[in-house]
Amino acid sequence: LEFRVLGTGSANPQLGVHPSAFVLTIENHLLLIDCGEGTQYQLLKYKIKPTRIKYILISHLHGDHYFGLIGLICSFNLNHRTEPLTVIGPEGLEEIILAQLKYAQSKLSFELTFLLTNPLNTENVLIESTFTVFSFPLKHRIPCTGFLITKTAPPRKVLADLLPANFAPVYYKLLKEGQDVYDELGQKWYKNSEYTQAMGPKTFAYCSDTIFDADLPKYFPNVDLLYHEATFSEEQVDRATFTFHSTAGQAAEIAKMAKAKQLIIGHFSSRYQSYSHFLKESEAIFQPTMLAEEGLNYII
Amino acid sequence: LEFRVLGTGSANPQLGVHPSAFVLTIENHLLLIDCGEGTQYQLLKYKIKPTRIKYILISHLHGDHYFGLIGLICSFNLNHRTEPLTVIGPEGLEEIILAQLKYAQSKLSFELTFLLTNPLNTENVLIESTFTVFSFPLKHRIPCTGFLITKTAPPRKVLADLLPANFAPVYYKLLKEGQDVYDELGQKWYKNSEYTQAMGPKTFAYCSDTIFDADLPKYFPNVDLLYHEATFSEEQVDRATFTFHSTAGQAAEIAKMAKAKQLIIGHFSSRYQSYSHFLKESEAIFQPTMLAEEGLNYII
């Protein structure tokens, strides 16, 4: 599970800073999470093959989170994409995209499916064989959802150190599949529970734009990585509340309450030239905190 | 009259190359012509104050000509713009922009007016005191218009060399205003037609996306500067025709037929790494040709 940051900015455009867009890699699947203006150029810059993106998740319909989507879809089409694409997002997104395609008289070369998120309640919006996407309500100025992405548990890990050196590969495979193994030669039972270890699912939670909301942590207890917006630092807490955004300290509070393993903060207001005080403010409450940095890849 | 290039690319995104967007400066007025994705970042880069833009002209609804418009409008709003904004473009543009504003629950801080272009016939779409915008049909895959922008004639130029050294400033002003002057002291008539010279209007024509169309030159005879797309060079003439685009040589033919003073070509396909052969190809037919270059300002 890898999380790559393509944009750390917020709504006000800033030269050299890009609006929200993130790529989550789950084995062979690439999920694009939010898609601000210029995201397709960020994909080019970081050499992320757009055809590998099969799912796009949009948190809400403020421009810094989706104005790059139509351009990306049109570029997929220009390049004769054939892989189906699923876009998950709020009401209105499909209407807007389809209107733009209609007036461009574009007939897509690939199947485009929209799945609607529910801004009022939790929902399992996508269940795939290796991961699931669960959406939960965020409190912002317009309908907005966060996402919990769970990489489902991989096969059990075989504890090779406990096995004899000449242990047959076919037995090894059976253990990995979760079976007990009887070694006729050695006349010994290898109980799966003793010779393998369960690998837990990995989880990633994404809170794009939200006021501080103590209800949030219940949606992602013990999450492996939490991305939470931190548009402002503490001295602007009133402005954060007024605009339905959060401070770095508030993001840290949410991470702490959720017992997250790690926190990444981003979506910084253009009023700040550096973000070191965001880090300090968050780390005083929750560790480890990381600052989102464009181009960086965070391993979960 | 100044013409500034913000984007020289065409539909396929290319790192470091931007889609169509141009700024025409007419005295204090800034007209933005087309507005591809990322145009607001180009305005920041070239330090063009967005509030000075009062008119935006959109040629057609292919994304590389307008996907940056909604982001620019939203940024105007974020920055509490109060100056009215007029957007001139084809059917569908208003519907798309208003749908995006609706779902963002944006109430604009400024007056936004849409003027509809007619893709089937010529039209005076805007008549201001110092300039006019005339639209004409372009032949592209979807409804598309070109624009002729005329800076109306400035006051007559007084031929100071022909006047006596002690010629009174008040008489000078009268001549500039177009009047004949009687100098009582010298007992002499200064006929306006003999002591002033008319300054012609200045014209700029914009042909964004079009197949080679011999009907075009009649819309902008003797134009001072013609921008004409040149997506391909001559060896791809069939592809140009198939996609309703032009080659550099065809753009030059149009400039020649129109008896243009100067030609700028742009909208280059991403398949080309350099454009020197575009220049050579065009100059063989029409001179002077200039290659559009991002950031450059062309004085008309």
Side-chain angles (χ1 to χ4, degrees):
Chain A
L1 210 62
E2 290 179 21
F3 178 65
R4 188 151 198 181
V5 175
L6 301 183
T8 60
S10 57
N12 226 330
Q14 229 183 324
L15 207 54
V17 180
H18 297 82
S20 288
F22 306 90
V23 174
L24 190 74
T25 305
I26 306 171
E27 288 173 2
N28 290 324
H29 296 284
L30 257 62
L31 279 71
L32 180 64
I33 307 179
D34 279 342
C35 186
E37 184 173 354
T39 295
Q40 59 174 330
Y41 295 92
Q42 290 293 85
L43 292 171
L44 281 177
K45 181 172 176 185
Y46 296 114
K47 297 187 171 51
I48 298 164
K49 230 179 141 184
T51 47
R52 290 187 59 205
I53 298 169
K54 300 222 170 68
Y55 304 93
I56 302 179
L57 282 56
I58 302 293
S59 62
H60 67 301
L61 296 189
H62 278 152
D64 55 324
H65 294 261
Y66 90 98
F67 283 168
L69 178 59
I70 180 65
L72 185 61
I73 288 175
C74 288
S75 295
F76 284 157
N77 200 40
L78 262 174
N79 289 293
H80 313 293
R81 177 188 176 112
T82 52
E83 299 86 357
L85 177 71
T86 300
V87 174
I88 298 170
E91 193 193 338
L93 186 58
E94 181 172 5
E95 174 189 330
I96 289 166
I97 298 294
L98 294 188
Q100 288 175 299
L101 292 175
K102 180 184 90 177
Y103 284 109
Q105 297 181 16
S106 291
K107 201 186 152 343
L108 293 184
S109 57
F110 58 96
E111 194 187 334
L112 176 63
T113 307
F114 287 89
L115 299 179
L116 204 60
T117 49
N118 182 346
L120 300 174
N121 216 332
T122 59
E123 201 154 11
N124 280 307
V125 274
L126 187 69
I127 299 174
E128 287 289 330
S129 59
T130 52
F131 69 95
T132 60
V133 178
F134 169 84
S135 76
F136 51 86
L138 292 178
K139 291 202 179 84
H140 195 44
R141 300 196 302 279
I142 61 171
C144 186
T145 60
F147 297 105
L148 173 69
I149 294 134
T150 302
K151 182 186 170 191
T152 43
R156 296 177 71 87
K157 183 186 171 190
V158 179
L159 303 169
D161 289 352
L162 304 182
L163 296 170
N166 62 350
F167 195 69
V170 59
Y171 292 166
Y172 188 97
K173 194 164 165 281
L174 291 173
L175 280 178
K176 202 167 176 61
E177 286 169 0
Q179 300 186 39
D180 295 337
V181 168
Y182 183 69
D183 176 9
E184 292 186 16
L185 215 65
Q187 295 203 317
K188 183 177 170 183
W189 271 102
Y190 290 88
K191 283 194 72 179
N192 201 282
S193 59
E194 287 168 22
Y195 290 89
T196 69
Q197 182 189 316
M199 301 292 287
K202 289 274 182 191
T203 52
F204 166 74
Y206 178 77
C207 300
S208 62
D209 280 18
T210 182
I211 199 169
F212 174 76
D213 178 6
D215 277 348
L216 283 184
K218 71 171 183 243
Y219 300 128
F220 40 80
N222 308 305
V223 67
D224 290 297
L225 178 65
L226 169 65
Y227 168 92
H228 194 290
E229 71 123 301
T231 309
F232 299 101
S233 60
E234 205 56 34
E235 90 287 354
Q236 292 280 341
V237 65
D238 290 345
R239 177 131 197 92
T241 306
F242 179 71
T243 58
F244 282 75
H245 282 297
S246 301
T247 67
Q250 291 173 333
E253 288 290 354
I254 298 295
K256 190 179 173 185
M257 290 160 74
K259 295 192 171 63
K261 308 274 198 316
Q262 294 183 90
L263 168 67
I264 292 188
I265 52 175
H267 199 268
F268 307 120
S269 162
S270 63
R271 72 182 63 206
Y272 303 102
Q273 301 307 310
S274 88
Y275 315 123
S276 54
H277 59 301
F278 281 74
L279 188 62
K280 210 180 277 178
E281 188 180 309
S282 179
E283 280 181 331
I285 296 162
F286 178 85
Q287 287 185 35
T289 299
M290 297 172 288
L291 291 176
E293 202 174 312
E294 295 188 6
L296 280 199
N297 210 9
Y298 301 80
I299 311 291
I300 308 174
Chain B
L1 210 61
E2 289 178 22
F3 178 67
R4 189 152 198 179
V5 176
L6 301 183
T8 59
S10 56
N12 226 331
Q14 228 182 325
L15 207 55
V17 179
H18 297 82
S20 288
F22 307 90
V23 174
L24 190 73
T25 305
I26 306 171
E27 288 172 2
N28 290 324
H29 296 284
L30 257 63
L31 279 70
L32 180 63
I33 307 179
D34 279 343
C35 186
E37 184 173 355
T39 295
Q40 59 173 330
Y41 295 91
Q42 290 292 83
L43 292 171
L44 281 176
K45 181 172 175 185
Y46 296 114
K47 297 186 171 51
I48 298 165
K49 229 180 142 184
T51 48
R52 290 186 60 205
I53 297 169
K54 301 222 171 67
Y55 304 93
I56 302 179
L57 282 55
I58 301 293
S59 62
H60 66 301
L61 296 190
H62 278 152
D64 55 324
H65 295 261
Y66 90 99
F67 282 167
L69 178 58
I70 180 66
L72 185 61
I73 289 175
C74 289
S75 295
F76 284 157
N77 200 40
L78 263 174
N79 289 294
H80 314 293
R81 177 188 177 114
T82 54
E83 299 85 358
L85 177 71
T86 300
V87 174
I88 298 170
E91 194 194 338
L93 185 58
E94 181 172 6
E95 174 188 332
I96 289 165
I97 298 294
L98 295 188
Q100 289 175 300
L101 292 175
K102 180 184 88 176
Y103 285 109
Q105 296 181 18
S106 292
K107 200 186 153 342
L108 293 184
S109 57
F110 59 95
E111 195 186 333
L112 177 62
T113 307
F114 287 88
L115 299 179
L116 205 60
T117 49
N118 182 345
L120 300 174
N121 216 333
T122 60
E123 201 154 10
N124 280 307
V125 274
L126 187 69
I127 299 174
E128 287 288 332
S129 60
T130 53
F131 70 95
T132 60
V133 178
F134 169 85
S135 76
F136 50 87
L138 292 178
K139 291 201 178 86
H140 194 44
R141 299 196 303 280
I142 61 171
C144 186
T145 60
F147 297 104
L148 173 69
I149 294 133
T150 302
K151 182 185 170 191
T152 43
R156 295 178 71 88
K157 184 185 171 191
V158 179
L159 303 169
D161 289 352
L162 303 183
L163 296 170
N166 62 350
F167 196 70
V170 61
Y171 290 166
Y172 188 97
K173 194 164 166 282
L174 291 173
L175 279 178
K176 202 167 175 63
E177 286 169 0
Q179 299 187 40
D180 295 337
V181 170
Y182 184 70
D183 176 9
E184 292 186 17
L185 215 64
Q187 295 201 320
K188 181 177 172 183
W189 271 103
Y190 292 87
K191 286 193 70 178
N192 200 283
S193 59
E194 286 169 21
Y195 291 90
T196 68
Q197 182 190 317
M199 301 293 286
K202 289 274 183 191
T203 52
F204 166 73
Y206 178 76
C207 300
S208 61
D209 279 17
T210 183
I211 199 169
F212 174 76
D213 177 6
D215 277 348
L216 284 184
K218 70 171 182 243
Y219 300 127
F220 40 80
N222 309 304
V223 67
D224 290 296
L225 179 65
L226 169 65
Y227 169 91
H228 194 290
E229 71 123 302
T231 309
F232 298 101
S233 60
E234 206 56 34
E235 90 286 354
Q236 292 279 341
V237 64
D238 291 344
R239 177 130 197 92
T241 306
F242 180 72
T243 58
F244 282 75
H245 282 297
S246 300
T247 67
Q250 291 174 332
E253 288 288 354
I254 298 295
K256 190 178 173 186
M257 291 161 73
K259 295 191 171 65
K261 307 274 195 320
Q262 295 183 91
L263 168 67
I264 292 188
I265 52 174
H267 198 267
F268 308 119
S269 162
S270 64
R271 72 182 62 206
Y272 302 102
Q273 301 307 308
S274 89
Y275 315 124
S276 54
H277 60 301
F278 280 73
L279 188 62
K280 210 179 279 179
E281 188 180 310
S282 179
E283 280 181 332
I285 296 162
F286 178 85
Q287 288 186 33
T289 300
M290 296 171 288
L291 291 176
E293 201 173 314
E294 295 188 7
L296 280 199
N297 210 7
Y298 301 80
I299 311 290
I300 308 174

